[in-house]
Amino acid sequence: MPDKKLKGGLIGCGFFAHNHLHAWAEIEGAEIAALCDRDEKRLEEASQKFGIANLYTDAAEMLASEALDFVDIATTVATHRPLVELAAKKGVAVICQKPFAQTLEDAQAMVNACKAAGVPLMVHENFRWQSPIRAVRAVLDAGKLGEVFWGRVSFRSAYDVFSGQPYLATEERFIIQDLGIHILDIARFLFGDVTHISAATRRVNTNIRGEDVATILLAHENGATSICDCSYATHLPEELFPQTLVEIDGSRGTLRLGANYQMIVHADGHTQTFDVSPKLHDWANRPWHNIQESVFNIERHWTACLKGGQQPETSGADNLKTMALVFAAYESAAANLEAIDVRLMA
Ligand code: NAD
Ligand code: 89Y
């Protein structure tokens, strides 16, 4: 007999949640049984599009009325803490979108609440789940590059993200909190945890409130150094949104994940080129398909972890370390590139 499907409730039916819903519809072991959004129009739109009839404008009401195995929170950051704490109080497992929290204190409180309630908590930190990034990690795991001593994780674009996500133009903090958070998480995923961080930021686009360029230097516990650079003010001849490029130097060779998902590995004098393009799901649309595929991958991971009783890779506790890098980067930028020791922060 097939396993019982896990039942989820989605909170927040906005711009990005449609990707969650498309992906959930493809996950074999789980289904979204109820939707919640305080905006009735958005709620109705998602209900019609995905054929989900149990609708709520209040998350507490949804949790009181539905027998859910988990909630998937796809609201913006200001509502994460009350919603995560609500789910924890009800004993329901939680996925929460990035950025997990606006302060480290809020992030820690959510981790504590879920731990005390004994409910699993995963942050929807999906960029490390992009198949090109997994392909890079597989080369490292195979030891092909020898000892890694340097890396760069880079995201440079001039794509208009503000039309789909207008709140990104009005927040005091922009690129590190919104996008750099993924780039920093990829650096942790590839090169390990961090001891010190320095950062410089700048706002180029004067029509927005926060910084749209950040250059960040990381010292990793294993002795490697990496650079995380991101920009939404970079006009290239070929717009690469939303590709993350990676460069790695090791004692035996190098890896370059270049434009259009071409990965070149040069090790022990031999060069190999791999096409590591993401899968184009039939509901996906270019150029977002890379991110959309990673949404499917992280939801599948969550479903397997919840069924198997394992801790997800990007658990709340793990994400505290990525969040610490975000806050330390802002602290360093405000102090003219001062090196911040992040070891005691998370
Ligand atoms: P959005 O504003 O379009 O949608 C959020 C929705 O949540 C809105 O419809 C709003 O009415 C609803 N909402 C807010 N508070 C609520 C509450 N208490 N109860 C019920 N509904 C509530 O935002 P978005 O662009 O979809 O972004 C949502 C989150 O997803 C953000 O944190 C953003 O950073 C993240 N995001 C992640 C990725 C990724 O690749 N991981 C990509 C884009 C956006
Ligand atoms: O919100 C951001 C994210 O998480 O991925 C890309 C994005 O949509 C815009 O920067």
Side-chain angles (χ1 to χ4, degrees):
M1 206 169 71
D3 278 355
K4 192 180 132 300
K5 277 195 176 198
L6 297 173
K7 278 190 178 214
L10 179 85
I11 308 175
C13 301
F15 170 77
F16 199 68
H18 288 239
N19 295 314
H20 289 221
L21 288 167
H22 274 300
W24 283 123
E26 260 194 63
I27 303 282
E28 279 184 11
E31 66 181 342
I32 296 299
L35 298 175
C36 171
D37 197 303
R38 54 188 180 195
D39 178 330
E40 287 188 22
K41 190 163 166 271
R42 288 189 148 191
L43 187 60
E44 192 52 40
E45 265 168 26
S47 164
Q48 292 293 325
K49 187 167 160 189
F50 295 95
I52 299 167
N54 297 357
L55 307 181
Y56 299 87
T57 51
D58 180 52
E61 219 180 283
M62 179 174 83
L63 280 157
S65 309
E66 301 280 333
L68 298 174
D69 296 302
F70 69 94
V71 289
D72 184 12
I73 299 172
T75 62
T76 46
V77 65
T79 49
H80 288 175
R81 182 169 173 184
L83 290 171
V84 169
E85 288 179 344
L86 174 71
K89 210 167 136 197
K90 291 282 178 188
V92 174
V94 194
I95 310 173
C96 181
Q97 255 297 348
K98 52 59 65 177
F100 186 35
Q102 280 168 320
T103 65
L104 214 42
E105 190 194 348
D106 281 349
Q108 187 68 63
M110 288 184 272
V111 170
N112 293 348
C114 290
K115 191 172 176 200
V119 302
L121 165 64
M122 178 179 84
V123 177
H124 185 118
E125 180 40 82
N126 52 324
F127 270 39
R128 64 160 72 192
W129 282 100
Q130 294 172 4
S131 50
I133 302 300
R134 302 312 274 198
V136 171
R137 171 69 187 256
V139 173
L140 294 179
D141 287 348
K144 288 188 183 163
L145 304 184
E147 190 186 339
V148 170
F149 59 87
W150 182 86
R152 177 178 173 207
V153 188
S154 176
F155 186 106
R156 311 195 76 78
S157 168
Y159 187 86
D160 171 24
V161 286
F162 309 108
S163 53
Q165 297 169 264
Y167 55 90
L168 295 178
T170 54
E171 296 287 318
E172 190 184 337
R173 292 178 163 180
F174 169 38
I175 203 167
I176 301 177
Q177 175 171 277
D178 171 64
L179 189 279
I181 194 168
H182 293 303
I183 304 308
L184 290 164
D185 189 68
I186 290 173
R188 283 189 55 232
F189 176 60
L190 297 178
F191 312 124
D193 282 328
V194 173
T195 63
H196 294 82
I197 182 167
S198 311
T201 58
R202 163 158 196 174
R203 178 169 61 108
V204 175
N205 178 352
T206 51
N207 296 322
I208 66 169
R209 188 162 166 227
E211 84 292 350
D212 52 2
V213 178
T215 309
I216 306 170
L217 178 65
L218 303 176
H220 294 268
E221 280 174 359
N222 62 7
T225 305
S226 74
I227 297 162
C228 289
D229 60 287
C230 43
S231 165
Y232 271 126
T234 298
H235 300 268
L236 291 161
E238 185 184 10
E239 174 55 67
L240 295 179
F241 178 88
Q243 296 181 40
T244 300
L245 309 185
V246 179
E247 298 175 43
I248 305 177
D249 292 2
S251 55
R252 283 173 52 197
T254 55
L255 178 151
R256 299 291 182 262
L257 173 60
N260 303 316
Y261 310 111
Q262 298 305 298
M263 180 173 78
I264 301 172
V265 179
H266 178 77
D268 299 325
H270 300 287
T271 307
Q272 285 177 293
T273 302
F274 303 88
D275 181 349
V276 292
S277 297
K279 175 180 168 181
L280 181 68
H281 284 261
D282 59 13
W283 48 270
N285 56 306
R286 291 178 191 274
W288 285 86
H289 64 297
N290 182 30
I291 292 182
Q292 289 163 325
E293 184 215 32
S294 70
V295 171
F296 173 80
N297 292 344
I298 198 170
E299 289 179 0
R300 187 175 52 186
H301 173 66
W302 165 259
T303 303
C305 287
L306 206 53
K307 286 189 171 216
Q310 289 115 19
Q311 181 87 319
E313 252 186 45
T314 56
S315 65
D318 176 82
N319 198 255
L320 289 177
K321 295 183 190 172
T322 297
M323 293 288 354
L325 297 183
V326 168
F327 299 125
Y330 283 114
E331 192 183 330
S332 171
N336 290 321
L337 278 156
E338 187 185 313
I340 310 291
D341 186 336
V342 290
R343 284 170 293 190
L344 298 176
M345 283 179 74

